[in-house]
Amino acid sequence: MIVSLTLILLAQLLGEVAARAAGLPVPGPVIGMALLLGFLVLRDRTQPASTRWLPPPLVDGGLEGTAKGLLAHLSIMFVPAGVGIVGKLDVLASHGLALAAVLTLSVTLTLAATVLTFVAVSKLLDRR
Amino acid sequence: MTGEFALWVYLSRTPLLWLAVTLLAYAVADRLFQAAGRHPIANPVIHAIWMIGLVLTLTGTPYRAYFEGAQFVHFLLGPATVALAVPLYERRATVTRALLPMLAALLVGCVTAMTSALVFAKLAGIPYDVRLAMAPKSVTTGVAMGIVEALGGDPTLAAVLVMLTGMAGAVIVTPLMRTLRVEDMRARGFAAGLAAHGLGTARAFQVSEVAGTFAGIAMALNAFLTAILVPVAVSFLR
């Protein structure tokens, strides 16, 4: 668990550094995700050497377990930022109804447009 | 100073109190969510947020003081985003096969998210500074704040609008997909992550791991594309 968390944090750290250094509009953790993905690809391409040299948790499924453990609790991680809404109640109150209507309408439209495009294109490709 | 008051002052200054309150509120909200048969309206994030908000209002605690404690939970968002690589890697065959549908859906979804928000907000008579903060509303908080700040808007307001969008999306997605009769979990997840960022992704993981994986990809890709397109969209739809 410690080794797996270390690897995840290192990927995030490198991601943050890369994002700042290159002035990329992508957040550090997203670059960290790409780096971890790269690690997993390399790990499996370099079998059996990687199994011999890497710490056991990174090759015996420990890393996968830690990552999935984090993702299983993704919801709670949004609570602290979400409570920030309380501090903006004045703006929300002055445009409350209009704001709620616009956000709900827009998110519904976005969900529908995205899902229908996805389904349409994948059906088109399947038919060929 | 009475004894209880001194204790309160002491506790409210340590991270322990607000960390405990955050976990407790979420535990209660999650229990209710399970009892309600995981119905989207019982979304544990939403109910934990208003419970904590109520506690803060009643005790007169500023948000900054609360965040001092709750930041430990907030911090985990970064590592969790990195962790998305694992389900992505495990399902790489499914993902590469869906490359074209994903790219098409990304483009359509990203443009719809921005233009619909800007156009509807203008029609509703919402002032320009609020509209500006609304443009990247479907993107994960950190990126949305950065985009709005670069355009001279209010990043805190942007964060709030992002959260509200995420909550709305997380509640709407399942009933909407049922109405549209979409059963493809890849498409459902992708839409959830694109329209409602991390909250949509969290919701998708509650439904299925395939949906969650595609939601994570959509969230990452949309953050990238929106950062590029928002300045363009805002200049067109002032």
Side-chain angles (χ1 to χ4, degrees), chain A residues 103-124:
Chain A
L103 287 180
T104 312
L105 218 68
S106 171
V107 83
T108 309
L109 207 64
T110 308
L111 282 168
T114 311
V115 85
L116 294 178
T117 309
F118 191 111
V119 170
V121 174
S122 77
K123 273 193 184 146
L124 209 69

Side-chain angles (χ1 to χ4, degrees), chain B residues 213-232:
Chain B
T213 305
F214 276 82
I217 302 169
M219 177 171 75
L221 292 177
N222 194 33
F224 188 70
L225 191 61
T226 303
I228 298 168
L229 291 185
V230 159
V232 184

Side-chain angles (χ1 to χ4, degrees), chain B residues 70-108:
Chain B
Q71 61 176 323
F72 300 103
V73 176
H74 178 77
F75 170 77
L76 291 173
L77 270 177
T81 307
V82 176
L84 284 169
V86 166
L88 179 58
Y89 179 67
E90 286 180 348
R91 298 184 188 277
R92 59 194 178 281
T94 321
V95 171
T96 28
R97 242 181 282 130
L99 213 54
L100 274 178
M102 284 198 301
L103 289 178
L106 168 68
L107 202 65
V108 172

Side-chain angles (χ1 to χ4, degrees), chain A residues 64-98:
Chain A
E64 282 80 352
T66 304
K68 285 180 185 170
L70 274 171
L71 289 173
H73 301 293
L74 191 57
S75 294
I76 192 177
M77 299 169 198
F78 288 98
V79 172
V83 176
I85 292 171
V86 179
K88 284 281 170 183
L89 285 178
D90 50 333
V91 185
L92 299 182
S94 54
H95 310 288
L97 218 56

